[in-house]
Amino acid sequence: MNTKKYESSGGRANTRFAPTKGFRADVGVNLVFTRSFETACKVCPYKSMKRVIKCRGSACISCSPGQFGKIRIAGIFNFHLIISPKHGKTYPLIKNFKREDNRTMDWEILVKDEKTKPYTEKLAEISSVLLENTGKLENNIGLMGGKIGVALFFFYYARLLGEDKFADFGVDLISEIFDVINNDFTYHTLAGGLAGIGWSIELLAQNEFIDTDTNEVLESLDPYLHKAMIFDIQGENYDFLHGAVGNGTYFLSRLSNPQSKDYISELVDELEKLSEKEEDDARRWLSVLDRESGKKGYNLSLSHGIAAIIAFLGKVVEAGINKEKALMLLNGAVQYMLKFKLDREKFASHFPSWISEEDPLSQSRLAWCYGDLGIGISLWHTAKSVGNKEWEKLAVEVLKDSTARRDLKENAVIDAGLCHGAAGLMHIYNRAYHYTGLDVFKDTTLYWAEQTLNMARHEDSYAGYKAWHTEKYGGWQNEAGFLEGVAGIGLAFISVISDIDPAWDRCLFIS
């Protein structure tokens, strides 16, 4: 097939744009997105350096060890959308997703035939509202609340329907994201920064949504994110979403780069230094529980606490990186967690949200972010990673007991988002069913799927959904994004009506 090349700067990666300078797309068998840029650092004395985004702060790492340094991004980004000649441009369904640990999983469709109608209709609404409103995110380009998280929805939706126009929009968003990065964007975290964007590019490439050499695209970003990770952990910020463990999760996705193993190993060393060792060899990590009051304690959650360290270390052990030390820390972390297993005759949950001298032990909510679901699902796949049957049995017990908690008010299920809403519950139970084959998890998945549909009841909203932020932070708000918004709700719906393995949930340590 003949192809025609166009060049433009800042154009969209599709077949319908006017040719101008600086952009190249091959139209035909492969759709190629190429973005190149050269920006010299205006602060660093080495101003002649090319392919550089300005450094974070007053100087680069060569000038001031207190800064992370310049971001040296590869000069050219290439994205090739996978195209099937049968339908022009479509995206192949993959029933067996090859996991990093070489296990495969057949993803079962839980809602079939005519029962899919309310889900497909809601997905069409979500797609429409995101096409219309994603521009409002502007420079919010991150994974959990920004444009790259919305892009993930469109790539999965394109694969569900076999329609290229939705993946085209996903590529458009990537183009916009790179424009923002090229304009001094240096925020580094998994939730809102470069680690989450890089993680998403790896996900899309590994699952054949795009065809690109991620080492060429991302290898120059890795040293910057390494410096940011060490800066965070040495500043006692191990947080998963907003700190060092999140950057470590990015490097777990980048094992194709041999340097990633060294970076991860260094983080394990730093986690040991930061940990507090108890007399029985249990390990704990201190957190700030309340930013406003400065209250500190030991956060057990998956979003910000020790459950995330457990999930991270399990993957590190499985990858064979600094294995002896990682396993020692993992055993200590689980041991500390189990000290605070609650009496189920007094509490609805197995675990509290955190441990603090100022607060009595109390039950936790039903959610991904805090409580039994996040702890249980992360403990399950950690147990499988290291071959610990006792932990696996405990994880199933925790998850099974939680299936009886269906009162929305009592369990603080207020909205529908992945973080602490009904869609997050639906998806975790869906994973638990696929992990264990237990029908109780299938039934509970379908219950929370119905609840998620029922929560689309708001006016002046995104497909009927709003996210609750408490009165102090604005109350009910429209959210487009992945973690609290309709992009994540849509991804969870796709996972109950299709056989597409939801590899996107790795960024939440659900898989």
Side-chain angles (χ1 to χ4, degrees):
M1 181 183 295
N2 293 326
T3 63
K4 184 177 181 180
K5 294 185 179 180
Y6 297 102
E7 293 189 355
S8 75
S9 74
R12 306 293 189 185
N14 55 44
T15 60
R16 301 170 296 279
F17 55 81
T20 51
K21 185 179 179 182
F23 181 93
R24 184 177 73 251
D26 294 341
V27 182
V29 177
N30 284 318
L31 179 63
V32 182
F33 168 75
T34 301
R35 186 77 170 92
S36 63
F37 49 81
E38 293 184 349
T39 305
C41 178
K42 296 179 181 178
V43 178
C44 178
Y46 304 103
K47 290 185 173 63
S48 62
M49 190 174 293
K50 299 297 183 182
R51 295 202 301 258
V52 171
I53 294 178
K54 286 190 294 184
C55 58
R56 186 178 195 267
S58 61
C60 73
I61 196 68
S62 62
C63 307
S64 172
Q67 301 298 330
F68 301 155
K70 298 185 187 70
I71 310 171
R72 295 172 174 82
I73 304 292
I76 295 179
F77 294 84
N78 293 306
F79 294 94
H80 308 257
L81 290 177
I82 307 302
I83 292 172
S84 167
K86 183 177 179 181
H87 299 102
K89 292 184 294 182
T90 61
Y91 308 87
L93 295 175
I94 300 177
K95 294 184 179 180
N96 291 314
F97 169 66
K98 187 176 181 182
R99 295 167 55 95
E100 289 178 356
D101 57 3
N102 295 322
R103 290 194 292 259
T104 59
M105 175 175 287
D106 292 320
W107 194 257
E108 180 180 337
I109 303 172
L110 299 192
V111 178
K112 301 177 182 179
D113 303 324
E114 70 278 358
K115 293 182 179 180
T116 65
K117 184 177 179 181
Y119 298 93
T120 56
E121 289 178 346
K122 187 55 64 179
L123 282 166
E125 288 184 56
I126 290 172
S127 171
S128 178
V129 79
L130 287 176
L131 286 169
E132 183 179 349
N133 292 284
T134 299
K136 296 177 182 178
L137 293 172
E138 296 180 344
N139 290 344
N140 185 353
I141 61 176
L143 172 55
M144 298 300 171
K147 288 182 178 178
I148 195 68
V150 174
L152 294 185
F153 166 78
F154 279 110
F155 279 108
Y156 274 85
Y157 193 47
R159 180 163 289 179
L160 174 72
L161 300 183
E163 295 184 14
D164 66 290
K165 63 182 180 180
F166 298 109
D168 284 346
F169 187 70
V171 176
D172 287 353
L173 290 176
I174 293 175
S175 173
E176 294 172 10
I177 288 163
F178 288 156
D179 285 340
V180 174
I181 292 174
N182 196 30
N183 191 27
D184 306 332
F185 184 88
T186 55
Y187 192 57
H188 64 275
T189 68
L190 182 72
L194 294 164
I197 294 166
W199 182 93
S200 300
I201 297 300
E202 277 287 356
L203 174 81
L204 292 171
Q206 292 174 17
N207 289 272
E208 300 185 26
F209 291 98
I210 58 176
D211 179 18
T212 188
D213 182 349
T214 55
N215 283 329
E216 178 183 349
V217 173
L218 299 173
E219 66 178 353
S220 298
L221 182 62
D222 291 353
Y224 175 82
L225 290 178
H226 166 248
K227 292 181 177 72
M229 180 178 73
I230 299 306
F231 182 91
D232 277 343
I233 195 67
Q234 291 181 350
E236 302 182 357
N237 175 18
Y238 71 81
D239 194 286
F240 174 41
L241 292 180
H242 307 296
V245 171
N247 280 32
T249 302
Y250 163 76
F251 286 118
L252 281 172
S253 77
R254 293 276 297 130
L255 294 180
S256 59
N257 178 9
Q259 193 71 45
S260 292
K261 293 186 177 182
D262 295 333
Y263 295 155
I264 293 167
S265 181
E266 187 176 358
L267 179 56
V268 172
D269 291 339
E270 293 293 336
L271 281 169
E272 181 190 23
K273 295 175 187 176
L274 187 60
S275 69
E276 299 175 6
K277 182 180 179 181
E278 299 189 330
E279 291 183 1
D280 59 357
D281 293 331
R283 296 273 179 164
R284 62 186 187 180
W285 287 263
L286 190 66
S287 295
V288 176
L289 301 177
D290 188 321
R291 294 289 175 186
E292 293 185 2
S293 67
K295 181 176 73 173
K296 293 186 177 183
Y298 302 93
N299 193 325
L300 302 186
S301 75
L302 183 55
S303 53
H304 306 292
I306 293 174
I309 292 179
I310 289 171
F312 173 73
L313 290 172
K315 294 179 181 294
V316 171
V317 170
E318 188 174 29
I321 301 169
N322 204 346
K323 190 171 182 179
E324 183 176 348
K325 185 176 291 185
L327 187 58
M328 176 269 292
L329 292 174
L330 176 59
N331 284 323
V334 174
Q335 187 174 340
Y336 179 77
M337 182 88 73
L338 296 184
K339 287 183 177 184
F340 299 97
K341 195 169 183 293
L342 300 173
D343 183 348
R344 288 277 290 155
E345 293 185 1
K346 298 179 181 179
F347 300 97
S349 67
H350 280 266
F351 295 98
S353 295
W354 57 73
I355 309 301
S356 169
E357 294 180 356
E358 302 176 34
D359 301 322
L361 290 178
S362 61
Q363 71 185 42
S364 54
R365 70 189 304 170
L366 190 66
W368 167 80
C369 52
Y370 281 87
D372 287 359
L373 277 190
I375 292 171
I377 201 70
S378 62
L379 185 61
W380 193 93
H381 61 70
T382 298
K384 297 297 287 187
S385 293
V386 302
N388 190 310
K389 294 295 184 181
E390 183 179 341
W391 294 354
E392 183 181 342
K393 181 179 178 182
L394 173 61
V396 173
E397 175 192 345
V398 170
L399 292 169
K400 282 181 67 177
D401 286 347
S402 73
T403 62
R405 300 173 63 184
R406 297 193 176 189
D407 185 282
L408 275 65
K409 185 175 181 179
E410 287 183 4
N411 295 293
V413 184
I414 300 172
D415 59 17
L418 291 177
C419 183
H420 44 259
L425 306 183
M426 169 181 65
H427 187 69
I428 292 174
Y429 288 120
N430 198 357
R431 267 291 178 194
Y433 170 66
H434 281 87
Y435 283 149
T436 67
L438 296 176
D439 285 338
V440 65
F441 294 131
K442 180 177 181 179
D443 294 342
T444 309
T445 300
L446 296 175
Y447 171 80
W448 287 110
E450 188 68 24
Q451 294 301 315
T452 305
L453 286 172
N454 292 340
M455 285 184 174
R457 59 180 181 267
H458 298 275
E459 296 181 359
D460 188 27
S461 61
Y462 287 174
Y465 294 107
K466 284 180 178 283
W468 176 248
H469 288 276
T470 76
E471 295 293 350
K472 181 179 179 180
Y473 294 101
W476 289 107
Q477 296 181 21
N478 289 330
E479 289 281 355
F482 172 88
L483 188 59
E484 297 185 44
V486 293
I489 295 169
L491 284 165
F493 279 153
I494 290 171
S495 299
V496 295
I497 67 169
S498 77
D499 59 359
I500 304 171
D501 188 341
W504 52 264
D505 65 8
R506 291 190 204 173
C507 71
L508 300 176
F509 279 155
I510 295 174
S511 65

